[in-house]
Amino acid sequence: MEKKRDSTPAGPNESVSRQIVMSGIRPTGFLHLGNYFGAMRNYIKMQDEFDCFFMVADLHSLTTHPDTRELKANVHRVLAENIACGLDPEKVALYCQSQVHETAELYLYLNMMAYKGELEKTTTFKDKVRLNPENVNAGLLTYPVLQTADIILHRASYVPVGKDQEQHLEMARTFANRFNHRYGEVFPEPQAFNYNQNLVKVPSLDGAGKMSKSENQMATLYLADSDEIIRKKVMKAKTDSGPTEKNAPKPDYIENIFLLMKLVSSPATVQQFEDDYNNCNIRYGDLKKQLAEDMVSFIAPIRNKTDAILQDEKGLEQIMRKGAEKANKSAGETMKLVRAAMGLNYF
Ligand code: ADP
């Protein structure tokens, strides 16, 4: 059996028996709709039901973004965007990864249990090597090990993430189980989590891959985009001359537009366009105009709130400090168990 936590970790209203949740977002650019619907939407819901640890993954960002000049501003932005979306730093531990030094220690131990062959097979590693062949560093290869350390450092059971992280979570289970087998049960098996069961992938507007912080920027909708840019990006989404047969299956790029619409428009609006599509009288110009307006209504309040939060740098620092205290407490408790299990407690 996994070891139970011996004290209360995070905010004011949690109890010892609640399940632990952990997740993170890299400060590698502006947050986008994929981050929101793949991850943050669940964070916000989960904060009332679980003991949550949410971090800005600044160490992970060093694997692909070694230049740290913009790092602080990017960390502040991710924090502000999370809070603007509804995350409450009083309820959760909202912290920055590099402030929890035990992460590096656990990462070291786990690296001894992670094999080169299995790391090289990771899809995200292969993608990153393809995108950035001149910076294939060891940190990139062991990214899933660091991610495992982040998660199991708090003995988390649930990890709200998008579909792109499914394989990493499988690896986290492998590494956690390997540790438990070798040294004794310390960690629960972490599971990828989404309230609606299936993990989410928000497609890019050009239908080629997923929305992402640093790639395909014109095909990604950012939570910081102006109303004008949102309209421009949506209107440029790929369509065709429309279906010629009733109830025809949708091509990928049309399915994607409907998928985005389901995220931000009312069910009645979606149904109306579904009916139009099935009856072959859909006008894609109208569909995109409607989607653009609904997207503006969704994004504008988040953007405005973020801007206001970013004005208060001292407030953000305070939030980070408090988050780090909560995370350090939990990490310290876990590492005592880890060192004892491994026989590294000599006195
Ligand atoms: P990015 O790939 O944009 O740099 P991160 O690697 O920081 O994003 O991931 C942060 C969270 O956002 C993860 O839980 C990830 O699964 C989720 N996520 C990122 N892009 C998408 C997307 N297009 N659809 C769904 N979830 C996504």
Side-chain angles (χ1 to χ4, degrees), residues 23-28 30-40 43 128 143 160-165 200-204 210-215:
S23 193
I25 299 187
R26 289 180 304 153
T28 48
F30 293 92
L31 298 196
H32 52 82
L33 222 58
N35 298 133
Y36 183 87
F37 286 105
M40 282 148 74
Y43 296 3
K128 283 173 182 166
Y143 191 110
V161 283
K163 192 161 177 52
D164 56 323
Q165 292 293 325
V200 175
K201 174 186 165 185
V202 178
S204 66
K210 61 160 201 152
M211 287 196 185
S212 133
K213 286 200 217 81
S214 27
E215 296 147 42

Side-chain angles (χ1 to χ4, degrees), residues 221-258:
L221 289 162
Y222 296 96
L223 301 180
D225 278 346
S226 69
D227 295 354
E228 216 176 308
I229 294 280
I230 295 168
R231 291 192 182 100
K232 204 166 147 187
K233 286 182 179 175
V234 172
M235 294 314 287
K236 277 180 77 158
K238 180 177 172 185
T239 52
D240 53 29
S241 52
T244 49
E245 262 174 55
K246 285 195 173 188
N247 301 313
K250 299 187 187 83
D252 283 356
Y253 47 93
I254 300 297
E255 188 71 58
N256 287 348
I257 296 179
F258 273 96

Side-chain angles (χ1 to χ4, degrees), residues 274-290:
E274 289 275 9
D275 292 346
D276 290 348
Y277 180 87
N278 286 328
N279 293 320
C280 296
N281 55 10
I282 190 157
R283 291 156 63 121
Y284 286 138
D286 292 348
L287 172 76
K288 290 198 277 187
K289 258 189 216 142
Q290 180 71 47

Side-chain angles (χ1 to χ4, degrees), residues 122-265:
T122 318
T123 313
T124 47
F125 174 68
K126 289 194 277 191
D127 288 346
K128 283 173 182 166
V129 169
R130 208 167 347 99
L131 280 171
N132 222 342
E134 73 290 347
N135 185 21
V136 184
N137 57 75
L140 202 60
L141 182 68
T142 56
Y143 191 110
V145 185
L146 180 55
Q147 195 173 11
T148 305
D150 298 324
I151 297 165
I152 68 177
L153 189 57
H154 302 297
R155 280 169 282 155
S157 301
Y158 296 133
V159 188
V161 283
K163 192 161 177 52
D164 56 323
Q165 292 293 325
E166 209 167 23
Q167 191 183 25
H168 286 185
L169 258 293
E170 210 178 301
M171 295 174 84
R173 279 193 290 281
T174 301
F175 299 142
N177 283 331
R178 219 171 265 168
F179 182 99
N180 288 344
H181 247 96
R182 199 169 288 177
Y183 297 114
E185 292 282 333
V186 174
F187 301 113
E189 267 196 357
Q191 309 287 338
F193 184 91
N194 179 26
Y195 278 102
N196 304 322
Q197 306 289 322
N198 290 333
L199 298 186
V200 175
K201 174 186 165 185
V202 178
S204 66
L205 287 166
D206 58 11
K210 61 160 201 152
M211 287 196 185
S212 133
K213 286 200 217 81
S214 27
E215 296 147 42
N216 59 16
Q217 300 193 349
M218 270 318 283
T220 294
L221 289 162
Y222 296 96
L223 301 180
D225 278 346
S226 69
D227 295 354
E228 216 176 308
I229 294 280
I230 295 168
R231 291 192 182 100
K232 204 166 147 187
K233 286 182 179 175
V234 172
M235 294 314 287
K236 277 180 77 158
K238 180 177 172 185
T239 52
D240 53 29
S241 52
T244 49
E245 262 174 55
K246 285 195 173 188
N247 301 313
K250 299 187 187 83
D252 283 356
Y253 47 93
I254 300 297
E255 188 71 58
N256 287 348
I257 296 179
F258 273 96
L259 206 151
L260 292 171
M261 190 167 230
K262 279 184 197 139
L263 295 176
V264 295
S265 303

